[in-house]
């Protein structure tokens, strides 16, 4: 049986209050055989959702059309799992990482622009004004990667 889940997001944009209602098929989003979802991220505009999986697969969803628009498989042999995903504020880039490294991809054409191998599992990724910051809970490490 298929269970439908309604996700409701309310946010302020300019002077108005907007509500977006999305219906996703729970079976498609959160179950993929034995491949569990380990992290999710929404784009700032609320139109896209990224899901990271234990198998290092990353799926990018168009929530308006309710379809998968891209699937990346851990960028080859770099990642063994995905534990964090984030979009940058401009919506042009998405970064994901976990056990093995960090990957930055361009949104829309889904080309890998940056691959960084790390020797500690990443537990968090965040964008800074000049690059990306990552952290590892296990190793208690915070790393900064600059675009300049």
């Amino acid at each position: 049986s298929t269970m439908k889940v309604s996700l409701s997001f309310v946010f302020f944009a300019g002077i108005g209050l907007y509500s977006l209602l999305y219906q996703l098929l729970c079976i498609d989003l959160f179950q993929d055989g034995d491949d569990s979802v380990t992290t999710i991220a929404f784009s700032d505009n609320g139109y896209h959702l990224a899901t990271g999986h234990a198998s290092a697969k990353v799926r990018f969803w168009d929530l308006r059309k309710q379809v998968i628009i891209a699937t990346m498989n851990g960028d080859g042999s770099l990642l063994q799992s995905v534990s964090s995903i984030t979009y940058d504020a401009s919506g042009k880039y998405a970064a994901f990482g976990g056990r093995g490294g960090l990957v930055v991809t361009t949104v829309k054409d889904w080309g890998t622009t940056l691959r960084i191998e790390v020797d500690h599992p990443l537990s968090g990724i965040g964008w800074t004004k000049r690059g990306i910051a990552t952290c590892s809970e296990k190793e208690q490490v915070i790393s900064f990667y600059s675009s300049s």
Side-chain angles (χ1 to χ4, degrees):
S1 71
T2 301
M3 177 185 0
K4 286 201 173 192
V5 176
S6 294
L7 302 175
S8 205
F9 306 96
V10 179
F11 59 94
F12 289 96
I15 58 172
L17 175 67
Y18 297 92
S19 176
L20 300 176
L21 179 64
Y22 299 119
Q23 292 201 356
L24 302 173
L25 294 175
C26 187
I27 193 80
D28 291 338
L29 179 59
F30 294 110
Q31 295 178 1
D32 185 11
D34 293 330
D35 193 13
S36 60
V37 172
T38 54
T39 184
I40 65 170
F42 290 92
S43 61
D44 281 354
N45 64 11
Y47 295 153
H48 296 109
L49 169 68
T51 59
H53 299 258
S55 68
K57 182 188 306 179
V58 177
R59 287 183 172 168
F60 295 93
W61 300 75
D62 182 321
L63 294 176
R64 295 170 292 179
K65 297 176 183 175
Q66 299 181 11
V67 296
I68 297 170
I69 53 178
T71 299
M72 300 182 80
N73 291 310
D75 201 46
S77 62
L78 180 66
L79 293 179
Q80 291 89 48
S81 67
V82 176
S83 58
S84 186
I85 303 176
T86 184
Y87 288 92
D88 78 323
S90 73
K92 293 180 183 179
Y93 299 96
F96 57 92
R99 201 171 56 236
L102 170 70
V103 176
V104 177
T105 184
T106 52
V107 174
K108 297 196 194 255
D109 67 3
W110 310 107
T112 299
T113 59
L114 177 68
R115 296 177 79 231
I116 300 173
E117 188 173 342
V118 296
D119 58 358
H120 50 273
L122 301 180
S123 54
I125 301 171
W127 291 91
T128 68
K129 289 184 179 183
R130 295 189 179 170
I132 297 175
T134 64
C135 65
S136 172
E137 182 179 345
K138 182 177 180 183
E139 301 294 327
Q140 299 181 351
V141 173
I142 297 175
S143 303
F144 297 91
Y145 304 94
S146 177
S147 58
S148 55

